């Protein structure tokens, strides 16, 4: 990361966007957190000074901080103007990029940050973009010593750090994990938050490109320890939670698998197999889902359909992890798994409460836990970047809670 003194520790790019406004509020909270031992200098950035000023005024009113606007810098820049992005990057140690969809607007920000020695965190849930940025910028970022960390919101910190937490809590070798996401209905009904829908819509619409990218990368398979994790069908029943579930269409599978590859190849840790599902309720919900699935499959192919889907919003969540593995000293080659563990990650509303918390705490961790980050810079998943840091502790302190539900030897 940048070692010279820069005007701002953190710059929130896209602060006047819908998610960016909540990230701005969360940085303002972090600025005055009781446990902070040093001053956090920060700025907001975007195309319109007037809009950025209004965002700061609303945050000041909401947080009871009348002097907030005078404490925060304002930078004018635009993804269509590379020189303006360079000027923004030169002033920051870490840029929080809230401007999506990232497949359309993300790369110019990554490029500017890498070229100007600035670390960057985003909340992207689009696997094609995330994996493409790795192949295009990982070596350049490593040369510059900066960290480009994607999917650092609800997509996919709960899943990625949840698997690592489960591994750390098992008294043995964790070999496989299945996660089940439950979205809890709020006062306006049950919906799915904007970022997840964008991930699903654009991710589903670009599966062909993603397959081509992965094929061209020619990566060696990550070894499988213990029995191979079986894929469940389009609709399956989770006995432990007494609910039907479907495969999760977000970025979690892609992100967790990339983390496990990194942990195995770079840190020489045992890789964990992973599958992600989302709970849909009882049989009536399954029937509704079958109809909704046809709607989804039809509309993701057309621009107007994509816009309709993206209007959906979301609420709070619980992600439950069921892991299996082997006690210490027991070989994974010929024996069956003899340890089971259940953990959970719980959090408030996913899109506009949990996501800002996760993104801002990722930035705080990047700024403060430098000795525990990967030794060289590069393009990383959250799990690869933060597996040895205090990020989980910070999230627990702010209401995104990691806990062990049960652990037993079979």
């Amino acid at each position: 990361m940048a070692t010279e003194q820069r005007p701002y520790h953190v710059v929130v790019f896209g602060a006047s966007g819908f998610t960016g406004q909540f990230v701005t509020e969360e940085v303002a909270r972090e600025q005055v957190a009781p446990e902070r031992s040093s001053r956090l200098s920060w700025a907001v950035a975007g195309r319109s000074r007037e809009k950025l000023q209004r965002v700061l005024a609303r945050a000041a009113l909401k947080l009871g901080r009348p002097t907030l606007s005078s404490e925060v810098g304002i930078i004018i820049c635009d993804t269509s103007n590379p020189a303006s992005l360079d000027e923004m990057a030169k002033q920051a140690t870490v840029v929080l990029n809230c401007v999506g969809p990232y497949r359309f607007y993300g790369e110019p920000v990554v490029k500017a940050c890498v070229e100007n020695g600035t670390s960057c965190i985003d909340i992207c849930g689009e696997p094609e973009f995330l994996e493409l940025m790795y192949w295009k910028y990982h070596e350049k970022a490593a040369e510059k010593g900066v960290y480009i960390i994607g999917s650092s919101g609800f997509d996919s910190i709960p899943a990625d750090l949840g698997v690592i937490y489960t591994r750390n809590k098992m008294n043995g070798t964790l070999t496989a994990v299945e996660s089940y996401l439950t979205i809890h209905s709020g006062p306006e009904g049950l919906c799915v938050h904007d970022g997840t829908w964008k991930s699903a819509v654009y991710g589903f619409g670009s599966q062909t490109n993603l397959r081509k990218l992965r094929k061209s990368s020619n990566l060696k398979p990550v070894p499988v320890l213990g029995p191979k994790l079986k894929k469940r069908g389009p609709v399956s029943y989770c006995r432990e939670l007494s609910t039907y579930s479907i495969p999760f269409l977000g970025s979690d599978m892609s992100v967790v698998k990339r983390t496990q590859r990194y942990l195995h190849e770079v840190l020489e840790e045992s890789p964990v197999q992973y599958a992600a599902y989302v709970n849909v309720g009882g049989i009536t919900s399954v029937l509704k889902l079958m109809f909704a699935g046809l709607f989804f499959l039809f509309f993701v192919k057309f621009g107007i359909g994509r816009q309709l889907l993206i209007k959906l919003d979301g609420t709070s969540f619980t992600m439950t992890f069921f892991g299996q593995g082997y006690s210490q000293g027991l070989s994974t080659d010929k024996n069956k798994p003899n340890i089971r563990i259940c953990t959970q990650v719980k959090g408030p509303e996913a899109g506009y409460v949990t996501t800002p918390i996760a993104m801002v705490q990722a930035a705080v961790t990047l700024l403060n836990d430098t000795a525990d980050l990967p030794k060289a810079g590069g393009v990383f998943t959250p799990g690869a970047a933060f597996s040895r840091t205090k990020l989980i502790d910070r999230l627990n302190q702010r209401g995104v809670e990691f806990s062990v539900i049960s652990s037993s030897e079979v």
Side-chain angles (χ1 to χ4, degrees), residues 121-181:
I121 294 173
D122 69 45
I123 46 177
C124 177
E126 305 157 41
E128 182 188 357
F129 173 81
L130 294 164
E131 295 182 30
L132 182 61
M133 291 304 97
Y134 174 83
W135 291 112
K136 292 186 74 169
Y137 293 99
H138 179 69
E139 290 185 2
K140 295 177 184 177
E143 290 172 6
K144 289 281 190 174
V146 300
Y147 298 86
I148 309 299
I149 307 171
S151 50
S152 294
F154 175 70
D155 304 300
S156 293
I157 277 184
D160 205 16
L161 273 294
V163 172
I164 289 172
Y165 176 83
T166 304
R167 180 202 67 184
N168 293 345
K169 292 300 181 181
M170 174 174 273
N171 187 23
T173 302
L174 181 69
T175 58
V177 173
E178 292 179 313
S179 69
Y180 290 84
L181 171 65

Side-chain angles (χ1 to χ4, degrees), residues 102-401:
Y102 292 90
R103 67 181 298 184
F104 301 131
Y105 306 112
E107 185 171 354
V109 182
V110 172
K111 186 173 185 291
C113 286
V114 171
E115 290 181 349
N116 291 282
T118 305
S119 292
C120 181
I121 294 173
D122 69 45
I123 46 177
C124 177
E126 305 157 41
E128 182 188 357
F129 173 81
L130 294 164
E131 295 182 30
L132 182 61
M133 291 304 97
Y134 174 83
W135 291 112
K136 292 186 74 169
Y137 293 99
H138 179 69
E139 290 185 2
K140 295 177 184 177
E143 290 172 6
K144 289 281 190 174
V146 300
Y147 298 86
I148 309 299
I149 307 171
S151 50
S152 294
F154 175 70
D155 304 300
S156 293
I157 277 184
D160 205 16
L161 273 294
V163 172
I164 289 172
Y165 176 83
T166 304
R167 180 202 67 184
N168 293 345
K169 292 300 181 181
M170 174 174 273
N171 187 23
T173 302
L174 181 69
T175 58
V177 173
E178 292 179 313
S179 69
Y180 290 84
L181 171 65
T182 302
I183 301 293
H184 304 290
S185 176
E188 296 184 2
L190 180 61
C191 301
V192 180
H193 89 80
D194 180 66
T196 297
W197 271 104
K198 284 182 178 176
S199 304
V201 172
Y202 291 118
F204 192 90
S206 62
Q207 283 298 305
T208 301
N209 293 336
L210 182 58
R211 282 194 292 269
K212 289 179 181 177
L213 176 63
R214 289 173 174 172
K215 187 175 182 180
S216 66
S217 66
N218 202 29
L219 291 171
K220 294 188 296 184
V222 175
V224 173
L225 300 184
K228 187 173 182 179
L229 188 61
K230 295 179 180 179
K231 289 185 178 180
R232 299 183 183 272
V235 178
S236 59
Y237 187 73
C238 178
R239 295 183 182 277
E240 293 87 350
L241 298 176
S242 301
T243 183
Y244 286 92
S245 62
I246 61 172
F248 184 57
L249 295 177
S251 60
D252 290 356
M253 286 276 286
S254 166
V255 172
V256 171
K257 286 183 177 182
R258 287 173 57 216
T259 293
Q260 294 304 315
R261 176 179 291 279
Y262 171 85
L263 295 178
H264 170 67
E265 294 180 350
V266 179
L267 301 185
E268 299 182 346
E269 297 178 359
S270 299
V272 179
Q273 302 172 72
Y274 177 69
Y277 302 92
V278 57
N279 296 328
V280 297
I283 192 64
T284 303
S285 298
V286 172
L287 295 174
K288 290 179 181 178
L289 181 73
M290 291 174 67
F291 175 79
L294 293 173
F295 173 85
F296 178 83
L297 290 171
F298 176 79
F299 275 89
V300 292
K301 297 299 182 183
F302 302 95
I304 184 171
R306 292 180 178 184
Q307 306 221 350
L308 287 170
L309 290 172
I310 287 167
K311 290 179 181 177
L312 297 175
D313 193 12
T315 55
S316 63
F317 76 95
T318 300
M319 191 172 286
T320 305
F321 300 81
F322 295 102
Q324 63 180 25
Y326 296 79
S327 56
Q328 293 180 359
L330 185 65
S331 171
T332 62
D333 293 335
K334 298 179 181 179
N335 297 296
K336 292 182 178 180
N338 69 331
I339 294 181
R340 300 198 184 280
I341 187 170
C342 175
T343 63
Q344 276 189 349
V345 179
K346 289 185 176 182
E349 192 280 327
Y352 311 118
V353 182
T354 291
T355 286
I357 289 171
M359 188 183 208
V360 172
Q361 293 311 311
V364 171
T365 301
L366 198 57
L367 290 167
N368 289 284
D369 294 3
T370 52
D372 299 318
L373 298 171
K375 291 182 179 179
V379 178
F380 297 101
T381 60
F386 299 128
S387 67
R388 297 183 173 182
T389 69
K390 297 178 182 178
L391 178 55
I392 289 177
D393 295 337
R394 292 187 173 96
L395 293 171
N396 270 318
Q397 291 170 6
R398 283 159 179 80
V400 182
E401 300 174 354

Side-chain angles (χ1 to χ4, degrees), residues 5 7-9 31 36-42 70-72:
Q5 186 65 38
Y8 306 112
H9 295 110
Q31 184 186 21
R36 283 206 66 80
S37 57
S38 59
R39 176 177 173 269
L40 179 69
S41 59
W42 63 291
S70 63
E71 300 168 11
V72 182

